[in-house]
Amino acid sequence: MPLTILKVKNAKPGRHVDGRGLCLLVKPSGARTWMLRMQLNGKRRDYGLGSAHDVSLSDARIAAVELRRRVLDGFDPVAERRKARKVIPTFEAATRSCHETLGYGWKDGHHSRWLSGFERHLFPRIGKKPVDKVDSACVVEALSPIWLGIPETARRLLQRIGVVLDFAHVKGWVPEEVSLRSVRKGLPRQNDKRGHMEAMPYADVPSLMKKLATAAPTTGRDALRFTIYNAARSNETRLAVWTEFDLEKEVWTIPAERMKAGETHVVPLSAPVVALLRKRWDERTSDTGLVFSNDGKKPISDMTMTKLLRDDGFASITVHGFRSTFTDWAAECTDFPKEVADKALAHKLPNKVEAAYRRTDFFEKRRSLMMQWADYLSNRTPAADTSAAEPTSTRAAA
């Protein structure tokens, strides 16, 4: 029999059925609650409709009809309540959480740079938006101002946004995976040449080196000269510490965790590099700190060396491009095999079988190659034969 107002008022503890799944639950304490029981997709679930002290019998019946209709249409009130209770972080908070969680396995340089693009370009635009509200249209709007101006950075940020949204989905902050494949369709085509850093022709580098050597010495100028002499990556220079150097043996040992290929790299140092390092050693603030730093603790920024090039009138030349300059010079002006130049650049062999059988690191040949590169940059004619034969040392005394 359906319930009546009087039955609701006088109901004893237990479950009292009104009909079509609506029932009144009375607890021993006297609390009375309306409940709708439904079976959907083979599962039976109970949905609360409120206290009988606040919701009348007629209102409970109306609410049961409405809820039954919505559930059959796909609405899940339990999931909605859980969602309402869950605190959804902002895009910035989710990004920082992702960086903190995933960053333990990254190299120091990558870990420190990963957030910089977000902080500079994205957080001011979408940082305060709840992460579950960040969709393709939102990403298009955020990347539009930099898509053509700094295309490589924009592409990198697009990839990293995908990492953040995948992380947010795994954490339960975003209900469904967000596909960013359509983002590029909402942005203009980029016309930059991907994967290549603009390099200075090797014939022009000696005059640049002379200008750097005769200008007022600064940490940035020393770092740029050091980077060019060694054909090193800028991060290898910026994060170099004194404990990596043996100036007596004239070698620089870069640990595996600082190398892109994840392997220890031993660099033979030419005479001008050793002289530069000895001068900085005399002015050091720490025996174990950073070599190219004003206080031994804080590294110079990526832009410090680039700014020197811009100030000297080279608007498009990049620091990384000097590695290509070195490669061109070695191919055009020496008889050293390509493998020796590649090893000097710490390139990893793409062929795994070949890499497994090639155990040598061509250290002595690399020493001869780097000596000749230093001679070329200093406009000196090397005394030794320029072939790939065993080298004859022409280094100046350190």
Side-chain angles (χ1 to χ4, degrees):
M1 295 290 292
L3 295 174
T4 64
I5 296 176
L6 188 59
K7 287 181 180 179
V8 171
K9 181 178 179 181
N10 298 324
K12 304 297 183 183
R15 182 186 293 266
H16 305 271
V17 178
D18 180 64
R20 299 197 64 193
L22 178 64
C23 60
L24 176 70
L25 297 182
V26 182
K27 295 183 179 180
S29 63
R32 304 173 184 308
T33 304
W34 293 111
M35 190 73 68
L36 176 65
R37 172 166 289 183
M38 288 187 63
Q39 186 164 334
L40 186 65
N41 298 326
K43 294 183 179 180
R44 188 177 66 182
R45 302 182 73 172
D46 291 339
Y47 304 99
L49 299 178
S51 169
H53 296 291
D54 302 321
V55 180
S56 67
L57 173 60
S58 59
D59 288 341
R61 287 170 176 165
I62 295 172
V65 171
E66 176 64 19
L67 181 57
R68 189 182 296 109
R69 181 188 62 78
R70 294 183 66 193
V71 169
L72 291 175
D73 288 341
F75 175 73
D76 188 344
V78 175
E80 288 298 315
R81 280 198 296 270
R82 288 174 181 168
K83 183 177 179 180
R85 288 196 298 266
K86 184 179 295 183
V87 177
I88 304 298
T90 63
F91 177 73
E92 178 175 350
T95 300
R96 294 189 183 280
S97 178
C98 174
H99 175 254
E100 182 179 355
T101 302
L102 304 184
Y104 287 110
W106 298 344
K107 297 176 183 177
D108 289 342
H110 180 63
H111 186 273
S112 61
R113 293 193 308 272
W114 201 84
L115 276 177
S116 60
F118 285 97
E119 292 171 337
R120 187 177 302 113
H121 305 295
L122 296 180
F123 290 165
R125 299 181 68 84
I126 60 173
K128 297 186 183 304
K129 186 181 288 289
V131 70
D132 63 337
K133 302 301 181 184
V134 176
D135 55 14
S136 295
C138 177
V139 174
V140 168
E141 182 182 353
L143 291 178
S144 292
I146 62 171
W147 188 251
L148 295 179
I150 42 176
E152 185 62 32
T153 297
R155 287 191 295 267
R156 191 179 298 119
L157 283 173
L158 176 58
Q159 184 270 333
R160 290 176 183 174
I161 291 171
V163 173
V164 172
L165 295 182
D166 285 345
F167 176 81
H169 173 61
V170 171
K171 297 289 285 185
W173 300 329
V174 176
E176 298 179 358
E177 291 188 54
V178 180
S179 173
L180 299 179
R181 285 178 296 181
S182 61
V183 167
R184 291 174 181 269
K185 299 184 185 301
L187 293 165
R189 183 177 179 180
Q190 295 175 330
N191 295 317
D192 67 313
K193 296 180 180 179
R194 298 184 61 177
H196 297 283
M197 303 289 188
E198 188 160 350
M200 177 179 289
Y202 62 81
D204 297 339
V205 184
S207 61
L208 169 66
M209 294 297 279
K210 181 178 180 180
K211 189 173 183 179
L212 291 173
T214 55
T218 64
T219 299
R221 289 188 185 278
D222 283 351
L224 182 56
R225 291 176 63 210
F226 177 91
T227 301
I228 297 173
Y229 271 124
N230 292 304
R233 298 180 177 91
S234 62
N235 278 342
E236 294 166 5
T237 295
R238 293 191 314 107
L239 302 178
V241 293
W242 284 114
T243 51
E244 295 174 357
F245 294 90
D246 186 332
L247 297 186
E248 296 301 322
K249 295 182 179 179
E250 301 178 347
V251 294
W252 173 26
T253 304
I254 311 176
E257 58 268 22
R258 288 218 302 113
M259 294 300 299
K260 184 176 181 180
E263 298 176 356
T264 300
H265 183 51
V266 182
V267 181
L269 301 176
S270 60
V273 175
V274 173
L276 184 155
L277 289 172
R278 288 195 183 280
K279 183 175 183 298
R280 292 202 64 82
W281 173 257
D282 292 339
E283 300 169 353
R284 71 192 184 282
T285 58
S286 166
D287 290 355
T288 59
L290 293 165
V291 176
F292 298 101
S293 168
N294 294 323
D295 59 5
K297 298 177 182 178
K298 184 178 180 180
I300 59 175
S301 71
D302 272 324
M303 285 302 298
T304 300
M305 290 183 277
T306 301
K307 186 176 184 301
L308 288 171
L309 295 173
R310 301 293 176 265
D311 291 345
D312 286 340
F314 303 104
S316 58
I317 299 300
T318 65
V319 176
H320 194 86
F322 286 104
R323 288 166 61 82
S324 295
T325 302
F326 170 80
T327 301
D328 293 343
W329 168 84
E332 295 285 344
C333 302
T334 78
D335 294 325
F336 284 91
K338 180 179 182 297
E339 293 84 356
V340 177
D342 283 345
K343 200 66 180 178
L345 294 167
H347 283 165
K348 201 168 187 177
L349 288 173
N351 188 310
K352 293 183 178 180
V353 176
E354 184 181 358
Y357 281 96
R358 180 169 291 156
R359 304 290 183 178
T360 180
D361 65 356
F362 302 110
F363 182 79
E364 291 304 328
K365 290 185 178 181
R366 286 193 290 120
R367 186 179 285 284
S368 180
L369 175 63
M370 302 315 290
M371 287 162 48
Q372 291 181 35
W373 174 237
D375 287 338
Y376 173 77
L377 295 178
S378 303
N379 272 325
R380 291 197 303 264
T381 302
D385 185 2
T386 59
S387 71
E390 290 301 316
T392 301
S393 177
T394 59
R395 283 174 290 150

